[in-house]
């Protein structure tokens, strides 16, 4: 007999959740995969002006983003858009993508990650960056642990130039 466990009620009041700092943006853990039996996680990301995430591709999870504040740009393979508050986007696994603050004020997104588990990457990345390591192999190892591939797609330099962004560091 296949019995599906019942999820517990989880409440996270506004402004709460564990926060980790990653230069230019951060991660506030709202719902972790341990609270959803691995089904999903929810993370909130603020994006400072001039910030772009390093282009990357997931092999294990899909991301569903909701813009809450500001203007956030998204590029996934050949598709590019800028969304304001209330905009939604799906970033499927297997596509190289990046996100950036396309406006002049701090932006913020809510990210639903399915399946859950990838939220732990942000904690590990924050720890690695806090250690001020310049060892590229440490970032490569971390990416491999989470099934992530970083890249430098041909569109990156153009996006950085058009929006006046600080190029990603890893």
């Amino acid at each position: 007999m296949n019995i599906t466990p019942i999820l517990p009620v989880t409440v996270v009041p506004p402004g709460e959740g564990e926060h980790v700092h990653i230069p230019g943006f951060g991660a506030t853990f709202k719902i972790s995969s341990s609270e959803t039996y691995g089904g999903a996680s929810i993370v909130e990301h603020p994006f400072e002006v001039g910030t772009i995430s390093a282009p990357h591709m997931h092999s294990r999870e899909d991301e569903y983003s909701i813009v809450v504040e500001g203007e956030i740009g998204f590029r996934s393979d050949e598709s590019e858009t800028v969304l304001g508050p209330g905009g939604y986007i799906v970033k499927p696994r297997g596509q190289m993508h990046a996100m950036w603050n396309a406006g002049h004020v701090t932006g913020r997104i809510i990210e639903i990650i399915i399946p859950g588990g990838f939220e732990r990457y942000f904690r590990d990345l924050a720890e690695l960056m806090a250690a001020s390591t310049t060892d590229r192999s440490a970032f490569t190892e971390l990416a491999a642990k989470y099934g992530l591939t970083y890249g430098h797609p041909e569109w990156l330099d153009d996006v950085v130039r058009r929006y006046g962004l600080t190029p990603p560091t890893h």
Side-chain angles (χ1 to χ4, degrees), residues 122-164:
F122 299 113
R123 183 177 291 108
D124 292 349
L125 178 62
E127 290 173 5
L128 185 60
M129 295 184 97
S132 298
T133 184
T134 56
D135 180 7
R136 306 294 290 160
S137 66
F139 289 102
T140 302
E141 287 176 29
L142 179 61
K145 176 180 176 181
Y146 289 96
L148 195 63
T149 303
Y150 289 115
H152 192 107
E154 62 184 46
W155 47 259
L156 177 61
D157 295 334
D158 178 58
V159 167
V160 167
R161 180 190 52 75
R162 281 188 288 127
Y163 289 93

Side-chain angles (χ1 to χ4, degrees), residues 38-49:
S41 58
I42 301 175
V43 179
E44 194 171 287
H45 294 289
F47 275 80
E48 294 176 12
V49 173

Side-chain angles (χ1 to χ4, degrees), residues 24-94:
F25 70 104
T28 301
F29 306 109
K30 298 297 187 173
I31 306 290
S32 72
S33 58
S34 63
E35 296 165 303
T36 65
Y37 301 112
S41 58
I42 301 175
V43 179
E44 194 171 287
H45 294 289
F47 275 80
E48 294 176 12
V49 173
T51 297
I52 184 170
S53 67
H56 59 281
M57 180 171 49
H58 299 264
S59 64
R60 302 176 188 158
E61 54 279 316
D62 303 308
E63 296 175 308
Y64 304 81
S65 299
I66 306 156
V67 177
V68 181
E69 294 176 344
E71 292 180 286
I72 304 295
F74 298 90
R75 178 75 187 238
S76 186
D77 286 346
E78 299 307 313
S79 178
E80 182 177 317
T81 190
V82 173
L83 297 172
Y88 290 69
I89 191 166
V90 176
K91 297 175 309 244
R93 69 189 80 188

Side-chain angles (χ1 to χ4, degrees), residues 89-123:
I89 191 166
V90 176
K91 297 175 309 244
R93 69 189 80 188
Q95 291 188 9
M96 184 69 63
H97 65 274
M99 303 165 287
W100 63 91
N101 186 324
H104 302 290
V105 299
T106 299
R108 188 167 53 101
I109 66 170
I110 294 172
E111 190 118 88
I112 301 166
I113 306 166
I114 299 174
F118 185 76
E119 74 277 8
R120 292 186 291 269
Y121 167 80
F122 299 113
R123 183 177 291 108

